[in-house]
């Protein structure tokens, strides 16, 4: 599967990842599907899950392998120390099953995938927030009136403050 991000004018990009085209594996295991009917990946993945969760698991395995390979390639091109930042409403080892994971970002990323990057990163900072805090505080965020509903679904400034504190503590030795 080929992905490209879709940005609907800023914060509108939440959960909107443009589906560009099926991989060879996806075409093989879902021969009966007309992939031109899908513009976004979550819509596609939910439709495939309704057809056959077992076949979808093969596609998810392919996506996970591609993510790890692309992350390794990216990290290999960056000089100096690299720190991975995980911000989510769950820990990587709490990644959920096929259907349940549609509401959680990062979609399908789990502890095993992050562990597979160990030889490319110095550390991984995890900021796990309570999903109930979404939409409770938007002060300090910059968004238009049209983007307000999406901003309410984003982790608020307190989550970003927590990430800043954790990263600062970890990075201080590099700037001493």
């Amino acid at each position: 599967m080929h992905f490209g991000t879709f940005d609907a004018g800023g914060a509108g990009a939440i959960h909107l990842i443009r589906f560009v085209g099926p991989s060879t594996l996806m075409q093989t295991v879902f021969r009966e599907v007309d992939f031109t009917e899908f513009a976004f990946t979550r819509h596609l993945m939910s439709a495939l899950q309704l057809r056959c969760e077992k076949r979808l698991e093969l596609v998810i395995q392919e996506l996970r392998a591609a993510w790890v390979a692309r992350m390794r390639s990216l990290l290999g091109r960056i000089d100096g120390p690299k720190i991975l930042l995980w911000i989510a409403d769950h820990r990587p080892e709490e990644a959920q099953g096929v259907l349940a994971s549609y509401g959680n970002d990062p979609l399908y990323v789990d502890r095993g995938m992050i562990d597979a990057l160990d030889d490319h990163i110095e550390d991984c900072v995890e900021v796990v927030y309570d999903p109930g805090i979404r939409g409770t505080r938007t002060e300090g965020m910059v968004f238009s009136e049209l983007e307000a509903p999406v901003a309410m679904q984003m982790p608020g400034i307190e989550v970003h403050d927590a990430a800043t504190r954790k990263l600062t503590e970890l990075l201080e030795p590099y700037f001493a």
Side-chain angles (χ1 to χ4, degrees):
M1 184 174 349
H2 310 288
F3 295 101
T5 59
F6 173 75
D7 182 358
I14 185 172
H15 295 304
L16 298 179
I17 305 296
R18 175 77 64 189
F19 175 67
V20 179
S23 68
T24 301
L25 174 69
M26 187 181 287
Q27 289 175 318
T28 301
V29 297
F30 288 102
R31 293 178 191 266
E32 75 279 12
V33 174
D34 177 5
F35 293 102
T36 62
E37 296 176 11
F38 301 97
F40 299 102
T41 57
R42 286 179 193 266
H43 177 218
L44 169 69
M45 300 304 273
S46 63
L48 297 181
Q49 193 272 335
L50 290 173
R51 289 191 180 264
C52 182
E53 192 169 316
K54 191 173 187 173
R55 289 187 285 163
L56 177 60
E57 189 57 44
L58 294 171
V59 174
I60 292 171
Q61 289 173 10
E62 178 186 39
L63 285 172
R64 287 178 167 152
W67 185 90
V68 169
R70 290 175 185 150
M71 285 296 291
R72 284 180 173 162
S73 175
L74 172 67
L75 292 167
R77 287 184 253 158
I78 299 172
D79 292 329
K82 294 161 284 278
I83 298 170
L84 189 63
L85 175 61
W86 171 278
I87 299 180
D89 64 1
H90 63 283
R91 296 175 51 83
E93 59 270 10
E94 296 168 345
Q96 299 174 6
V98 174
L99 184 60
S101 66
Y102 289 127
N104 297 330
D105 281 324
L107 189 60
Y108 304 127
V109 178
D110 62 20
R111 174 66 65 200
M113 296 166 69
I114 292 172
D115 289 347
L117 302 175
D118 276 352
D119 57 341
H120 289 77
I121 62 174
E122 278 58 48
D123 209 335
C124 178
V125 172
E126 294 180 20
V127 178
V128 179
Y129 61 89
D130 177 355
I133 68 167
R134 284 189 189 145
T136 59
R137 294 182 55 210
T138 56
E139 63 267 8
M141 296 173 69
V142 178
F143 53 88
S144 71
E145 188 176 326
L146 289 174
E147 296 170 318
V150 175
M152 296 293 286
Q153 297 303 311
M154 301 296 290
I157 197 155
E158 62 275 2
V159 175
H160 292 90
D161 285 344
T164 300
R165 285 190 302 277
K166 286 186 174 191
L167 285 169
T168 300
E169 180 181 313
L170 188 64
L171 293 172
E172 278 180 351
Y174 292 103
F175 297 103

